[in-house]
Amino acid sequence: MSLSKSKIKYIRSLNEKKFRNEYNTFVAEGTKLVFDLLASCRCQLIIALPSILSAHPELKAEEVITVDEKELKKATFLKTAPQIMGVFYRPSPEIEKIDPDTQLSLVLDGIQDPGNLGAIVRIADWFGIEHIICSHDTADIFNPKTVQATMGAIARIKVFYTDIIDFLQQQSHLPIYGTFLEGDDIYSAPLSNNGFIVMGSEGKGIGREVEKLINRKLFIPNFPEGRATSESLNVATATAITCAEFRRRAKQDFF
């Protein structure tokens, strides 16, 4: 079966959020990403080269179509067409199942760049942070660029969208961290193994209303102290540094 024009049009339409919402599906491209998602998400459609399908007869989807490179080039969002693409149903995790009393989670306030969001999902996956709570104005996790940037981590990390001000108000009894220039040095401040780490947008940082709910302010110092340096860190880089220090402390406490 060849890939019809209507199927190509459908796949291409998923580049837009309104169609992802309408169909409740998203696109993943590349062998690792598709295979990771097959273990955790329902798959509506797989299109792949014959070599991939013959090597992996176990691939399961509602529809599997063998295609050639020319057809993949028409469907892909990448500069170089992959060997396989998948259309998956969007998961619907339940935010009520987060256990902040025993787990550490990320909260994202207005992260706009899909690449940064994807990188943060990868960072969370690396450091064993299973939940990310996003403000409604954060980039869409199912944007093809974001999905690609997660490098498969989207299959393991649960991402939620909600009113984070209302959400954090309900968690005020727990540690709520955020990074600020006037915060305590992250390398000497007390850090917990539970609660929330809030990361702000690329241009504005953490919003004022969200800042009011943060009860533990942290600062990532530059080196050496007092040296003229960049104004700020990229949000994904700051997230990686912060998560690494939390996990380093947790490991020390464990031993």
Side-chain angles (χ1 to χ4, degrees):
M1 181 188 297
S2 62
L3 189 64
S4 66
K5 290 183 179 180
S6 62
K7 278 286 193 306
I8 293 174
K9 183 179 179 181
Y10 166 60
I11 293 170
R12 298 292 301 175
S13 75
L14 297 177
N15 192 42
E16 297 185 40
K17 185 176 181 178
K18 66 177 182 179
F19 292 113
R20 293 194 295 272
N21 289 343
E22 178 181 342
Y23 299 121
N24 199 36
T25 55
F26 67 99
V27 174
E29 304 192 51
T31 305
K32 183 183 186 308
L33 186 51
V34 170
F35 278 50
D36 281 353
L37 283 166
L38 282 169
S40 62
C41 295
R42 285 176 58 212
C43 187
Q44 182 185 71
L45 171 67
I46 285 176
I47 62 172
L49 297 177
S51 57
I52 293 292
L53 295 178
S54 61
H56 299 278
E58 76 281 4
L59 291 180
K60 300 294 182 183
E62 291 178 2
E63 185 176 9
V64 178
I65 300 176
T66 303
V67 295
D68 57 28
E69 292 181 0
K70 185 178 179 180
E71 290 172 310
L72 278 167
K73 286 179 181 178
K74 291 179 180 178
T76 185
F77 297 112
L78 304 176
K79 290 183 179 179
T80 302
Q83 296 180 312
I84 183 171
M85 294 178 66
V87 176
F88 293 86
Y89 291 102
R90 298 188 305 184
S92 301
E94 298 177 22
I95 199 168
E96 294 78 15
K97 292 188 176 180
I98 297 175
D99 184 8
D101 291 316
T102 61
Q103 296 176 319
L104 192 64
S105 301
L106 288 174
V107 176
L108 305 184
D109 181 17
I111 304 299
Q112 298 292 305
D113 183 77
N116 278 337
L117 177 57
I120 290 171
V121 174
R122 286 181 68 187
I123 291 162
D125 190 30
W126 184 262
F127 288 108
I129 295 174
E130 300 176 358
H131 304 100
I132 299 178
I133 301 95
C134 301
S135 62
H136 288 301
D137 59 345
T138 291
D140 183 12
I141 185 62
F142 299 112
N143 181 310
K145 291 181 180 178
T146 309
V147 173
Q148 205 66 31
T150 70
M151 296 294 288
I154 190 176
R156 294 173 290 276
I157 304 303
K158 294 179 175 61
V159 180
F160 310 86
Y161 288 81
T162 191
D163 181 332
I164 62 170
I165 293 176
D166 180 63
F167 177 81
L168 290 175
Q169 285 175 338
Q170 297 177 43
Q171 314 296 332
S172 60
H173 61 291
L174 292 167
I176 302 175
Y177 297 90
T179 55
F180 299 87
L181 292 176
E182 71 276 14
D184 297 324
D185 189 325
I186 190 172
Y187 299 115
S188 56
L191 303 178
S192 65
N193 294 325
N194 67 327
F196 301 92
I197 301 171
V198 181
M199 304 304 298
S201 70
E202 296 87 343
K204 300 178 181 178
I206 295 171
R208 289 185 179 181
E209 293 304 309
V210 176
E211 181 180 349
K212 293 176 183 178
L213 301 171
I214 291 172
N215 51 39
R216 303 191 186 186
K217 292 186 176 183
L218 301 173
F219 169 62
I220 301 172
N222 65 309
F223 184 86
E225 185 178 350
R227 174 180 173 273
T229 185
S230 302
E231 183 178 324
S232 62
L233 290 169
N234 169 277
V235 63
T237 301
T239 302
I241 293 169
T242 302
C243 291
E245 182 60 15
F246 269 82
R247 291 319 197 198
R248 185 184 74 83
R249 291 296 184 85
K251 188 174 182 180
Q252 285 184 337
D253 292 344
F254 180 79
F255 289 104

